Amino acid sequence: MRRIALLIALFLFLLSAAPVSADDDFQLWSQFSIPLAQWDQLTLSLYAEGRFSNDVSDLAGVFVGPKLTYKAHPNLSLGLAIKRIDLDGDVGLGDFRADGGGPEIDGRLELELAPRFSISDRWRFDSRHRMELIHRETRSDRTRFRHLTRWTRALGDSSRWSHLFFANELFHEDGDDLFDVNENRFVPIGFQRGLADGSTLSLFYLIQSREIDGDWSHNHVIGTTWSPAP
């Protein structure tokens, strides 16, 4: 119990410090992952995401596409995905307002490696290393690399949420040094629970930091992830 209290105190401290670092925009990201078919260790799913920016007043972007996941080992998954992404070419976010300009339509091929390990009965470590080949409608194509680490802790049966987690993801472009990061997404706290219908819901707070032309911008993001029962 004392350890749980210390963890909660740490996360509250990180959360209270977040507004100092994230002062540009407040956004909402809603993600959905729907299994479509499964063959032994191979799973086909559909990913969809909507992002709202400008203090959650505008639909900022839409991401949708199929994904194949192969469970090569109990501690390792391989992924292949294709996404259609509707974005605005000037700001990197979509603008679907009636008085706005036409959106940019991008395509993205994703290859990923996702190891995971159980540290103890309650703690689990997950990571994901992804290469993205991005075709952009109005700008030059690019290759991007992403490295995600996430720690998850199982909570007691008396808790409303079944798991608590925190995570960080680093981004860099092809040709850049591994430590030359141009975007970072930090999740100081997140919660996960199973719903009555067997589906899973996650709720998290994220700080997105991006470098554009040498200047860094920071955004608050409230995120949700929903997956139906398998």
Side-chain angles (χ1 to χ4, degrees), residues 38-55:
Q38 184 167 352
W39 308 272
D40 294 328
Q41 304 302 318
L42 188 65
T43 302
L44 174 65
S45 58
L46 177 67
Y47 178 87
E49 179 179 356
R51 296 184 183 179
F52 296 82
S53 65
N54 296 327
D55 295 331

Side-chain angles (χ1 to χ4, degrees), residues 27 51 53-54 58-63 84-107 134-140 142 210 212:
Q27 302 181 5
R51 296 184 183 179
S53 65
N54 296 327
D58 295 322
L59 179 58
V62 175
F63 300 67
R84 171 191 164 115
I85 306 172
D86 293 277
L87 298 172
D88 184 282
D90 293 329
V91 298
L93 293 173
D95 187 351
F96 293 85
R97 293 174 298 180
D99 59 347
E104 173 181 315
I105 300 175
D106 294 351
I134 305 172
H135 170 72
R136 301 192 290 186
E137 186 178 31
T138 62
R139 293 167 288 172
S140 59
R142 63 181 177 139
R210 299 170 56 200
I212 302 176

Side-chain angles (χ1 to χ4, degrees), residues 13-26 184 186 188 205-210 216-221:
F13 169 77
L14 293 171
L15 191 61
S16 66
V20 176
S21 300
D23 55 5
D24 287 6
D25 192 18
F26 176 70
N184 188 75
F186 174 51
Y205 170 62
L206 178 148
I207 300 174
Q208 180 192 34
S209 301
R210 299 170 56 200
W216 284 88
S217 62
H218 311 280
N219 299 314
H220 291 281
V221 179

Side-chain angles (χ1 to χ4, degrees), residues 59-229:
L59 179 58
V62 175
F63 300 67
V64 63
K67 179 178 181 179
L68 278 173
T69 303
Y70 176 67
K71 191 173 183 180
H73 184 271
N75 295 330
L76 178 65
S77 295
L78 309 176
L80 169 66
I82 299 174
K83 288 189 177 75
R84 171 191 164 115
I85 306 172
D86 293 277
L87 298 172
D88 184 282
D90 293 329
V91 298
L93 293 173
D95 187 351
F96 293 85
R97 293 174 298 180
D99 59 347
E104 173 181 315
I105 300 175
D106 294 351
R108 191 166 81 192
L109 174 66
E110 303 173 354
L111 305 170
E112 67 181 41
L113 182 73
R116 58 182 295 174
F117 304 95
S118 294
I119 306 301
S120 67
D121 292 340
R122 288 186 176 270
W123 282 99
R124 189 180 77 242
F125 173 77
D126 298 87
S127 65
R128 185 189 65 204
H129 307 278
R130 176 189 289 174
M131 179 176 70
E132 299 177 338
L133 307 175
I134 305 172
H135 170 72
R136 301 192 290 186
E137 186 178 31
T138 62
R139 293 167 288 172
S140 59
D141 296 349
R142 63 181 177 139
T143 302
R144 184 172 70 175
F145 297 91
R146 302 169 57 166
H147 307 281
L148 170 71
T149 57
R150 168 171 157 162
W151 292 87
T152 302
R153 188 186 192 281
L155 301 176
D157 295 336
S158 60
S159 174
R160 181 180 297 270
W161 298 89
S162 60
H163 293 82
L164 175 149
F165 63 89
F166 57 95
N168 195 71
E169 187 170 19
L170 303 174
F171 294 67
H172 66 95
E173 303 291 326
D174 184 26
D176 290 348
D177 184 87
L178 178 62
F179 300 102
D180 188 9
V181 175
N182 57 17
E183 182 173 345
N184 188 75
R185 297 179 185 176
F186 174 51
V187 177
I189 191 167
F191 296 95
Q192 178 180 309
R193 64 172 298 181
L195 302 180
D197 61 359
S199 63
T200 302
L201 174 68
S202 295
L203 175 67
F204 58 90
Y205 170 62
L206 178 148
I207 300 174
Q208 180 192 34
S209 301
R210 299 170 56 200
E211 181 188 17
I212 302 176
D213 298 328
D215 295 324
W216 284 88
S217 62
H218 311 280
N219 299 314
H220 291 281
V221 179
I222 296 298
T224 61
T225 302
W226 179 82
S227 298

